[in-house]
Amino acid sequence: MPVVLGGGIGGLSAAYYLSRKHINPVRLFEKSNRFGGWIKSENHKDKGFLFECGPRTLRTTGPAAANSLQLIQDLQLNEAVVPIFAGHPASKNRMIFANGQLNLLPSTLGGFLKRLPPFSKPLMSAVFTDMFKGRNTHKLDDESIFDFTERRFGKEVAQYLISPMICGICAGDAKKISVKFLMREFFEAEQKHGGVFKGLVLNGIFGKKKTVDSFLDETVELQKKAKENQWNMILMKNGMESIPKRLVTYLGNHSVTMDLNSECRKITFYNDKSMSMYMTGKEKEIQSDHLISSLPSYKLANCVEEQHPSLAYQLRSIEYVDVAVVNLQYSTLDLLDFDAFGFLVPPSEKLPILGVIFDSCCSDMSGNTVLTVMMGGEWFQDYFGAKPEPNYLLNVAKSHVKDILKISLEPKNVKLSILKKCIPQYTLGHYERVEGIRKYIDQYKLPLTLVGSAYDGVGVNDVIYSAKKQVNKITG
């Protein structure tokens, strides 16, 4: 009987794909008292708004996105999908707060040809910088995204474009994050051809042809709609938690036993088809022929350390950061001067907030203005310490909303979520780190499969796709 550890979107997806492969029965264990992990939606239907305490949107382009759309359709959630079209302000308008003001990033060719603050030159000039930069004098094993971008495109692009983007993706420091892992196509294009754009063009001409349609399934209605109607992103009508909730319902009807309040403390492997897990709760020891772990890597490390200390060491080498999420609701619609997805803050501004999402610009909030302030990340301890007071965090969020967005009105409803060790950091060498972990598992023939954001990408689409690909390698 396969066992899945972790009831977040990674574990639920893994159990789902096991069920679809008719590998059953399956048992899933979740440490907390709810399923869904970091995906958590608080729906205030009586007041016409909802708070997303974690992820809130899904991209609709690329193979991982196509896979998520298929999952949503298979779960019969089509009617719950709210598309955000390419022309919508939440798709077109992204801002950064730099040099004391909000700056709109260009979204059209015309915008890239103009000089827009905080950049001293049109962004198109960065393309020519890369084209005439020439080949690097020696090949690199890896490099930080900041250093790579500064070297190829200039410091301003690294500081004002890439750094805040990394804050938005993984709440991390671009000066530490691996370009080889997070932007591997760009890195390899430069290493192979001597320039990013030169490499991308040559790969497009002589490389393997990857068309937009190569991963689309014409029988999946949501994929067709996303392509034909130019969906840029989607939300879920009742919140992103609709997906894990529907997965729980599906699994309950398809031979998957799910246990809450059950934490794994120790894993012992006997051979390539036999193992046991020591759990908290009613049953102390669970036998299994295969384990799929969607646990954070550091938690899995604790479970395997006694028998496999080297593996535990490698798993712990993946760093995680804390993020504070503050949801704010105002009972007035027109509080924002500009419709946009929101804004990000470059680390060079030395502010405790990573950015603010304009939720009520993305979807109808029935006359409310709803904002989500993201804080901390790589710099959480520096700004807030180990155990910050909740009221202090709330006041920091409201203060920056007031200073930057000029909203002095007191919010009617607020929610603070402190997400401890919620996002893995793809620091330098991460590609080799993950490769080494999986090689160890193969070398010792451990009946263990790893899924989740620590290994194959931080986004919800990435985590679901990771679960599918890894489960497909398991033989029933």
Side-chain angles (χ1 to χ4, degrees):
M1 175 184 71
V3 166
V4 178
L5 291 181
I9 190 64
L12 294 172
S13 298
Y16 170 81
Y17 290 117
L18 284 169
S19 175
R20 293 293 291 249
K21 285 187 68 174
H22 304 291
I23 300 176
N24 50 52
V26 175
R27 193 158 185 187
L28 183 148
F29 294 95
E30 162 58 34
K31 174 187 174 182
S32 73
N33 61 1
R34 60 176 288 275
F35 296 109
W38 300 120
I39 299 178
K40 188 175 182 181
S41 309
E42 187 178 279
N43 208 326
H44 297 262
K45 289 185 178 180
D46 57 326
K47 297 173 184 173
F49 71 91
L50 66 85
F51 285 156
E52 292 283 16
C53 306
R56 69 211 54 236
T57 61
L58 295 178
R59 287 284 181 181
T60 56
T61 55
N67 180 68
S68 294
L69 291 173
Q70 181 173 3
L71 173 67
I72 290 169
Q73 179 164 310
D74 291 343
L75 293 174
Q76 300 180 354
L77 281 170
N78 286 30
E79 297 303 316
V81 171
V82 179
I84 300 179
F85 302 97
H88 192 282
S91 294
K92 294 192 305 180
N93 299 332
R94 306 291 175 110
M95 296 183 289
I96 58 170
F97 181 77
N99 301 325
Q101 66 179 22
L102 286 172
N103 303 276
L104 182 64
L105 294 173
S107 59
T108 64
L109 178 59
F112 278 87
L113 294 172
K114 297 178 182 177
R115 189 194 72 79
L116 299 173
F119 304 100
S120 61
K121 300 176 182 178
L123 275 176
M124 185 58 71
S125 65
V127 176
F128 297 105
T129 299
D130 171 67
M131 290 174 64
F132 294 104
K133 182 74 176 179
R135 181 181 294 274
N136 195 32
T137 54
H138 61 281
K139 288 197 172 185
L140 301 170
D141 292 330
D142 199 356
E143 190 175 13
S144 78
I145 285 185
F146 187 97
D147 289 345
F148 175 82
T149 305
E150 182 179 24
R151 185 166 56 79
R152 296 305 317 180
F153 304 105
K155 185 174 182 179
E156 287 187 345
V157 174
Q159 181 174 336
Y160 294 127
L161 198 62
I162 296 301
S163 285
M165 181 187 76
I166 297 303
C167 288
I169 292 173
C170 62
D173 185 350
K175 294 180 179 180
K176 297 180 179 180
I177 300 299
S178 161
V179 69
K180 183 177 180 179
F181 187 85
L182 211 55
M183 296 171 62
R184 191 175 181 191
E185 187 178 8
F186 283 21
F187 178 73
E188 291 185 342
E190 190 232 15
Q191 293 295 296
K192 184 177 180 180
H193 299 288
V196 176
F197 283 96
K198 178 183 177 182
L200 293 177
V201 169
L202 290 175
N203 285 341
I205 296 172
F206 300 109
K208 294 180 180 179
K209 304 298 182 182
K210 291 184 179 180
T211 66
V212 173
D213 296 327
S214 62
F215 46 79
L216 295 181
D217 184 344
E218 288 297 317
T219 66
V220 181
E221 181 185 351
L222 282 182
Q223 291 182 6
K224 289 176 62 179
K225 284 186 175 181
K227 176 190 172 186
E228 293 171 358
N229 299 317
Q230 295 186 321
W231 294 0
N232 185 268
M233 299 175 284
I234 61 168
L235 305 100
M236 303 303 291
K237 189 176 296 182
N238 292 311
M240 193 58 64
E241 198 174 349
S242 302
I243 299 174
K245 282 182 175 179
R246 186 60 63 90
L247 277 168
V248 169
T249 300
Y250 176 94
L251 296 175
N253 294 327
H254 290 80
S255 302
V256 178
T257 303
M258 293 169 285
D259 297 77
L260 292 169
N261 303 305
S262 299
E263 181 180 8
C264 182
R265 294 295 180 86
K266 180 182 175 183
I267 300 169
T268 302
F269 299 99
Y270 302 115
N271 53 51
D272 61 350
K273 290 186 178 179
S274 178
M275 57 175 297
S276 64
M277 287 151 289
Y278 295 86
M279 311 292 298
T280 59
K282 295 179 182 179
E283 298 180 66
K284 295 298 182 184
E285 187 174 350
I286 304 296
Q287 303 293 323
S288 175
D289 57 6
H290 199 95
L291 170 64
I292 299 94
S293 173
S294 70
L295 300 179
S297 59
Y298 64 91
K299 289 189 176 181
L300 179 61
N302 296 336
C303 299
V304 302
E305 183 167 33
E306 183 175 317
Q307 191 180 34
H308 292 279
S310 178
L311 176 60
Y313 176 83
Q314 293 180 71
L315 289 165
R316 284 203 187 94
S317 68
I318 300 174
E319 301 173 17
Y320 286 74
V321 297
D322 305 337
V323 175
V325 179
V326 180
N327 305 106
L328 305 171
Q329 176 260 334
Y330 305 85
S331 299
T332 304
L333 180 60
D334 299 321
L335 289 180
L336 294 168
D337 294 333
F338 197 80
D339 287 340
F341 186 81
F343 68 86
L344 293 168
V345 181
S348 58
E349 294 297 304
K350 301 190 181 304
L351 295 181
I353 67 170
L354 301 168
V356 178
I357 300 166
F358 301 172
D359 297 287
S360 47
C361 289
C362 298
S363 62
D364 180 18
M365 294 284 184
S366 300
N368 297 289
T369 295
V370 179
L371 308 173
T372 300
V373 185
M374 317 294 289
M375 306 194 299
E378 171 70 23
W379 305 271
F380 191 97
Q381 299 283 335
D382 295 338
Y383 286 117
F384 306 122
K387 295 182 179 180
E389 288 292 326
N391 283 338
Y392 175 71
L393 293 174
L394 288 172
N395 287 333
V396 168
K398 290 190 289 184
S399 171
H400 283 87
V401 165
K402 180 179 179 181
D403 291 344
I404 296 173
L405 297 176
K406 312 305 179 187
I407 298 176
S408 56
L409 191 67
E410 190 69 16
K412 290 289 185 181
N413 288 277
V414 300
K415 182 174 179 61
L416 167 66
S417 305
I418 301 177
L419 312 181
K420 303 291 288 184
K421 290 190 172 183
C422 62
I423 306 180
Q425 299 298 286
Y426 306 138
T427 54
L428 285 172
H430 191 75
Y431 181 85
E432 288 76 16
R433 196 174 295 122
V434 172
E435 193 175 54
I437 289 169
R438 288 191 162 132
K439 279 184 177 178
Y440 184 101
I441 292 170
D442 290 342
Q443 179 184 348
Y444 287 91
K445 298 180 180 179
L446 304 182
L448 172 63
T449 295
L450 304 180
V451 303
S453 58
Y455 315 105
D456 299 307
V458 74
V460 174
N461 284 337
D462 301 316
V463 172
I464 295 172
Y465 200 37
S466 165
K468 181 178 183 178
K469 289 190 294 185
Q470 296 304 319
V471 165
N472 281 345
K473 297 177 183 179
I474 300 172
T475 56

